[in-house]
Amino acid sequence: MPIKIEASFAFTLERPTDVLLQFEAAAIPEQAIIERHTRMSDAEHCAWVPAQDDIGERIWVRAQGDFEVEYTALVRPQRQLPDIAGLARMEPHHMPGEAVQYLFDSRYCQADKFQPFVNSEFGGTEGGARIAAIRDWIADHFSYEPGTSDSRTTALDSFVERRGICRDYAHVLVTLARASTIPARFVACYAPGVEPPDFHAIAEVFLDDPETPGGGMWQLVDATKMADPADTVKIGVGRDAADVSFLTSFGPNNFRRSSVNVTRTD
Amino acid sequence: MPIKIEASFAFTLERPTDVLLQFEAAAIPEQAIIERHTRMSDAEHCAWVPAQDDIGERIWVRAQGDFEVEYTALVRPQRQLPDIAGLARMEPHHMPGEAVQYLFDSRYCQADKFQPFVNSEFGGTEGGARIAAIRDWIADHFSYEPGTSDSRTTALDSFVERRGICRDYAHVLVTLARASTIPARFVACYAPGVEPPDFHAIAEVFLDDPETPGGGMWQLVDATKMADPADTVKIGVGRDAADVSFLTSFGPNNFRRSSVNVTRTD
Amino acid sequence: MPIKIEASFAFTLERPTDVLLQFEAAAIPEQAIIERHTRMSDAEHCAWVPAQDDIGERIWVRAQGDFEVEYTALVRPQRQLPDIAGLARMEPHHMPGEAVQYLFDSRYCQADKFQPFVNSEFGGTEGGARIAAIRDWIADHFSYEPGTSDSRTTALDSFVERRGICRDYAHVLVTLARASTIPARFVACYAPGVEPPDFHAIAEVFLDDPETPGGGMWQLVDATKMADPADTVKIGVGRDAADVSFLTSFGPNNFRRSSVNVTRTD
Amino acid sequence: MPIKIEASFAFTLERPTDVLLQFEAAAIPEQAIIERHTRMSDAEHCAWVPAQDDIGERIWVRAQGDFEVEYTALVRPQRQLPDIAGLARMEPHHMPGEAVQYLFDSRYCQADKFQPFVNSEFGGTEGGARIAAIRDWIADHFSYEPGTSDSRTTALDSFVERRGICRDYAHVLVTLARASTIPARFVACYAPGVEPPDFHAIAEVFLDDPETPGGGMWQLVDATKMADPADTVKIGVGRDAADVSFLTSFGPNNFRRSSVNVTRTD
């Protein structure tokens, strides 16, 4: 079922400033872009560059004054949707080179510190069952409270404070997965059902298909349980929120407004 | 002038354990591998995978019991060696996609917090001149003191404590470069002149050649001033020390010894 | 010259909640309370208890619903005002027991990490001259920017970010003083000239009078340079901002408004 | 039953240095000092000052060269030992002024962040029952592993890493108590049964006797469960480990050895 996306945001740059934008649905095999329309204010310079892991694109803009972005798209997710709890652990020594970086600590995900915790709390599980247990543990122990976290909040803070928004839920899931030696990355996305409606963030973990061992595949998982992987449209991926933002400004920026609307169509 | 490398290390794994090794000179155009010899203990499983940015390789090993690694090589660095202070800043909106991730915060390099500092301390400089000023500032204000930092020490800690080892010097340089909107990464390497002799770590920054603008090139820079880029042999690169270690163990590991000897030959 | 203080604030407690208030000028020898008037909403329970180091009082209140506080006072500071740069260092082994706790690290003041920095930056000075050098260094290197820090910001953060408000300036001064083995505490106060007008915070350090060695005295010092110790009215002291707040709520609290007006009279 | 204490430690000071020592059993009503013997190397200067909350004493020493401390004592604890789980919560608005500081965050105990956790995990309990639940939760979820923490480890780190030594167990208990609005402090002590034998640290919480409400009393509680309050000899108290150390050196110090032996006598 195609997903309809309407997003817009606006900001003002007092002097000529470089900004990096990433808000378009990634053109990748697992989601078909049926229709897309991007409109941006005039800029002195504008260049599309490939984003992390070649999933989606970032847009370099150099501009001044009021700047507006409007984006609409119709996208049909067509990814495989196995039951995550049934997927197998991939032994580290079988992992492909490109998955290895997602085992390591990153800015907001200090996985190393959590090894005793994951062993004692989730010790009886592994692979996809471990991920399902982590997802459910977060969902049970955390409360979704906009305004309680900010751009400085790490997975360690969130783990202690037991609350936050999608970004924080994803950071904790990524962290506990990596502490379990399961590669995990951060995914910026659009998804219907997110409340309040906004850009969304979830995690993606690297697991193995027990029927074709050694293949390995990335699977979406949302600890907030607001997004269904069947309906989720990926924008981009990264080690954590430091790597994927719809707007990164290399100079002062007066943010004015944003609006996101994502719906299922028939 | 070729560089001779002799490195060895040994550890014991009580039960079958996955470890990730990265200790060989990277086979890349900027350094010619004249001769190399790697000898490792027998392992249940052993697989080479490409390392970050396709610079060098990581080795997945699954083994048990005593494990030893011996590595010798003769490598001739042949990279370009422009005067770093004469290189130009690359405007963000001209940066290629693969450099962008090196602008962002990582585990040990919280660049975002340092913007007011770099503006006030290095405000009159940009590009290569900024990097040279940062390198000299670190060299002047820090003391090299093995034993004062550990694997938890971040660039923020080091900036405050004003001391550390090569890893910490590199983290601070990477952080101040990123805070200056200059892409910077962490490089594990071999270099003669490192005292005490050991695996070494330095920074690499992305700058532009004023004569061929828009090209962009990575340039090595060592705030400890112990390593000369002309003699440095790269092993691998990463966002920071979380990404490049000669030994990462996914289970208990009893480290026994290491020895590194790097010399200039004639 | 007496200082006139007018302060008021209001908040709402949805259910019966304990709150701790500390907003009155401390009744201590160094400042004469000429006149004071405190008016608070009715409460289920209200009790004055001595505050830290017996400087001022805290008020325990248990209340529900809208709660308002109005306070006016006329206070004449009469403390000694030696030139701080001329005061001597007190040798640690001469320090009285009650000053010792102010040498130690506290929540927001991780002094221990700053020893190499104070030695290299302020190495040629000691005692009052060291404090004057620290105060001037902060004033020169920091910018006063409301909104850039919050209740989680530590001295370490502020030292790196080089900006903040009075609370942050005081934390950095306290931290660098303690790293210099000079006892230092955090002082909540009223002072004319604070811009924007608000509750103010400064530091107080323990130094010796060269003419009566071994006596020791606490001296106010404001790195923001907005408050003159001659005009400053103390509310209370603590290890850092964790210990002195005009309002601490032990349960949800909807803060509505505050206003502070402090003027010199003739 | 009297407790016999034998403690000694030695260090070397290259140049004249101030050190602060705190190793003697506190002379307070709850423990009778039957016999004590303190022998220290000659020093240039030596002065006893009262320690925090007037519990025990600190010793200022200024010395150079080899310095040795030997201490033996026979002490009979005689404190009240109610069942902690039966003690009542003291309402904040009834707390005496001197207990208030032990509600606030300190260097290693960031209690504020843990309010959601204590509410969800221990929500059905209060007062002494809450403390007993916290103590048992820590004992169940943590493992005692010397060498996994150091002087930089905070309660937040320990809560995540789920391991540490007595200092870390005490920090977590203090933190979770304060997050529950129960005053809590850190106690340095001697206790038989500590394994390996060493200086010990536990927590002390402020609770109310249901039979004489409003009195309030401090009660020892050890999350490691190695020390019995009936046999514990207090040295001193503080906000956390930053405040109580048997040796604090204000200059370079080469620590050579320590030995602690604590036994029950008949």
Side-chain angles (χ1 to χ4, degrees), chain C residues 102-121:
Chain C
Y102 294 108
L103 287 172
F104 296 141
D105 281 10
S106 60
R107 175 68 180 88
Y108 296 110
C109 299
Q110 312 97 324
D112 192 45
K113 291 174 178 281
F114 287 86
Q115 286 184 18
F117 173 74
V118 295
N119 290 341
S120 77
E121 187 75 28

Side-chain angles (χ1 to χ4, degrees), chain D residues 239-260:
Chain D
R239 300 273 283 263
D240 58 30
D243 292 359
V244 260
S245 175
F246 69 97
L247 168 60
T248 306
S249 184
F250 295 86
N253 179 324
N254 181 19
F255 191 74
R256 286 186 287 126
R257 62 172 174 78
S258 74
S259 127
V260 173

Side-chain angles (χ1 to χ4, degrees), chain B residues 2-7 22-29 31-40 48-49 54-59 69-76 190 233-235:
Chain B
I3 303 299
K4 185 173 181 198
I5 300 161
E6 298 163 297
Q22 187 172 11
F23 58 84
E24 297 173 305
I28 47 177
Q31 51 195 21
I33 313 288
I34 301 170
E35 194 183 317
R36 64 177 171 187
H37 183 69
T38 296
R39 199 168 62 75
M40 296 191 291
W48 268 252
V49 295
D54 261 325
I55 293 175
E57 293 174 313
R58 291 171 173 136
I59 311 171
V69 174
E70 295 201 33
Y71 173 68
T72 57
L74 193 63
V75 181
R76 187 175 47 238
Y190 292 109
V233 176
K234 281 188 191 173
I235 301 169

Side-chain angles (χ1 to χ4, degrees), chain D residues 106-127:
Chain D
S106 60
R107 174 69 180 88
Y108 297 111
C109 300
Q110 311 97 323
D112 192 45
K113 291 173 179 282
F114 287 87
Q115 284 183 18
F117 174 74
V118 296
N119 289 342
S120 77
E121 187 75 29
F122 308 111
T125 61
E126 66 171 37

Side-chain angles (χ1 to χ4, degrees), chain C residues 10 25 32 54 67 72 89 112 150 162 183 228 231 244:
Chain C
D54 262 326
F67 196 90
T72 57
R89 173 174 186 259
D112 192 45
D150 62 23
R162 303 280 162 115
D228 181 342
D231 292 336
V244 258

